[in-house]
Amino acid sequence: MDLTEIRRAVDSELEEFLRRKLRAAAGHRLPPEAPETLHRFLFAGGKRLRPLLCVVGWHAAAQAGDRMHPGVYRAAAALEMFHAFALVHDDIMDRSDTRRGQPTVHRALAARHGGGRDRADRAHLGVSAAILVGDLALCWSDELLHTAGLPAERLLAVLPVIDSMRSEVMYGQYLDLLASGKPAGDLETPLEVIRYKTAKYTVERPLHVGAVLADADPRVLAACTDFAMPLGEAFQLRDDLLGVFGDSARTGKSHLDDLREGKHTVLLALAVQRADSRQREALDALVGDPGLTDDDARSIREILVATGARDRVEEMIRTRRDHARCVLDHAPFSADAVAALRGIADSATRRAA
């Protein structure tokens, strides 16, 4: 199975769809900025992990000799369009400045249209416009799915999976918002956020979407879940490490955002549990400070290392990745799907800082 070719096919679906939206905007004398903005955002980077897992999920469930309906690629592209919606809105909620090495959508729109406005009005305009661009991505993800030409019974079967995925990621985001602020030693809350916001949304449901489109039996869906949940947790734990220790030039994201936001991660919870009084005082003073400096962040990173929190998270990543790989030893998947999932498991959890 050629993962590069899957990415190309998904990108082709997105390109064609957005070109059509640009033509429609011109024909109705509407501003072309929404499809142009989404095109820039979608093609600025991204691993296309959810579309990849969708297509691999189809192969995991397919029977020998089955031919994949071309609409599966368009359904996979719908997942990427939904992800664009989620990221645009997530960046607003996190007050992030950069994404994929570029200004976030709300910052870019504020800069583009902010002439003659004061700072507060520019920011409000950027946020308002980005909300609408994100809303369009949500609508267009539906349109991509419903224009994929899938057999009616397969579309009907997959819609509840899509509905569950959307509800779960928004529930996870809501929990994430409520938990952000000052550091706390509670581990269950950030783990629950990970399960809904990442493990289910990023890995389990995309696999389920593809598998259901191949008319998977319950054993295949159960094995998808058994593989997805530990891998999704490992993926987010790695992302949390990169959010603090990563090289912004390589990750495309600031290494200050999570600390300024006071994001309640497993990494910080472990540090709070293990910190002495001096370290805890420093964490309380610095984490969640919107004016956090690079020197402040360096002090926090030193505490994360000294308390053993960073090493413990690395251990949790290894344990979960190994668990996911073990599931593949007995999963009722095709050999090609198993090989692809092993590769994805390794690349998703060994992301260079």
Side-chain angles (χ1 to χ4, degrees):
M1 193 183 314
D2 188 340
L3 299 185
T4 300
E5 185 54 40
I6 293 172
R7 288 189 184 93
R8 287 198 191 104
V10 169
D11 282 354
S12 178
E13 293 287 351
L14 292 168
E15 282 271 15
E16 186 275 331
F17 181 86
L18 289 171
R19 276 199 301 267
R20 186 156 53 82
K21 289 301 179 187
L22 273 171
R23 290 195 297 269
H28 291 89
R29 297 186 178 180
L30 295 171
E33 188 163 45
E36 288 174 349
T37 297
L38 282 170
H39 187 280
R40 279 192 295 271
F41 184 81
L42 283 162
F43 290 93
K47 297 168 289 300
R48 304 293 190 257
L49 180 58
R50 292 153 196 84
L52 281 177
L53 287 167
C54 174
V55 177
V56 173
W58 186 93
H59 285 282
Q63 301 299 309
D66 285 354
R67 295 184 63 184
M68 189 174 72
H69 190 286
V72 173
Y73 287 122
R74 198 169 181 88
L79 296 182
E80 191 67 18
M81 186 65 79
F82 178 82
H83 190 50
F85 146 76
L87 291 182
V88 170
H89 283 200
D90 187 54
D91 285 340
I92 292 170
M93 287 180 268
D94 288 349
R95 292 176 282 195
S96 297
D97 293 327
T98 58
R99 166 77 66 177
R100 296 172 176 170
Q102 297 186 4
T104 48
V105 170
H106 63 286
R107 299 291 191 225
L109 291 173
R112 194 174 306 146
H113 298 293
R117 294 177 170 88
D118 64 26
R119 182 175 181 179
D121 284 345
R122 283 198 306 272
H124 179 70
L125 173 66
V127 166
S128 300
I131 288 171
L132 293 172
V133 168
D135 289 347
L136 270 175
L138 175 59
C139 295
W140 288 350
S141 70
D142 257 352
E143 188 174 339
L144 276 162
L145 180 63
H146 285 276
T147 58
L150 295 164
E153 72 277 5
R154 289 298 91 216
L155 178 60
L156 190 62
V158 84
L159 288 176
V161 183
I162 298 287
D163 290 341
S164 294
M165 177 195 76
R166 291 175 172 179
S167 296
E168 286 158 357
V169 71
M170 292 182 194
Y171 177 59
Q173 179 67 20
Y174 187 74
L175 288 176
D176 197 13
L177 283 172
L178 295 181
S180 294
K182 289 298 179 182
D186 163 37
L187 274 178
E188 185 50 40
T189 296
L191 284 171
E192 187 178 16
V193 170
I194 284 174
R195 291 182 197 113
Y196 284 98
K197 192 176 175 183
T198 305
K200 297 181 80 62
Y201 166 60
T202 299
V203 188
E204 183 194 34
R205 295 309 186 187
L207 280 173
H208 281 178
V209 168
V212 167
L213 291 177
D215 197 16
D217 67 44
R219 290 184 317 121
V220 171
L221 294 175
C224 286
T225 296
D226 291 343
F227 167 80
M229 297 308 289
L231 178 63
E233 290 183 12
F235 174 78
Q236 185 58 53
L237 290 168
R238 172 63 65 206
D239 203 58
D240 289 343
L241 281 177
L242 289 171
V244 176
F245 291 97
D247 178 357
S248 298
R250 300 182 69 179
T251 64
K253 295 172 61 178
S254 168
H255 59 250
L256 299 178
D257 282 355
D258 285 358
L259 298 176
R260 284 175 173 165
E261 191 68 19
K263 197 166 287 290
H264 186 22
T265 61
V266 169
L267 177 65
L268 277 170
L270 287 167
V272 169
Q273 287 182 359
R274 297 163 177 230
D276 60 28
S277 58
R278 180 188 59 81
Q279 292 167 329
R280 179 59 194 269
E281 183 179 347
L283 291 174
D284 286 342
L286 297 175
V287 175
D289 178 2
L292 188 85
T293 65
D294 282 320
D295 286 342
D296 295 334
R298 190 176 302 112
S299 297
I300 295 172
R301 286 194 290 272
E302 289 171 357
I303 294 171
L304 297 176
V305 172
T307 58
R310 181 180 186 176
D311 286 344
R312 174 61 182 139
V313 171
E314 289 283 5
E315 181 185 343
M316 293 172 73
I317 292 169
R318 287 193 298 272
T319 300
R320 284 159 172 75
R321 182 189 64 228
D322 292 347
H323 182 186
R325 288 175 62 88
C326 284
V327 169
L328 295 176
D329 292 337
H330 309 287
F333 300 158
S334 68
D336 281 352
V338 168
L341 290 172
R342 285 192 189 282
I344 289 170
D346 288 343
S347 63
T349 54
R350 283 209 308 262
R351 296 161 63 193

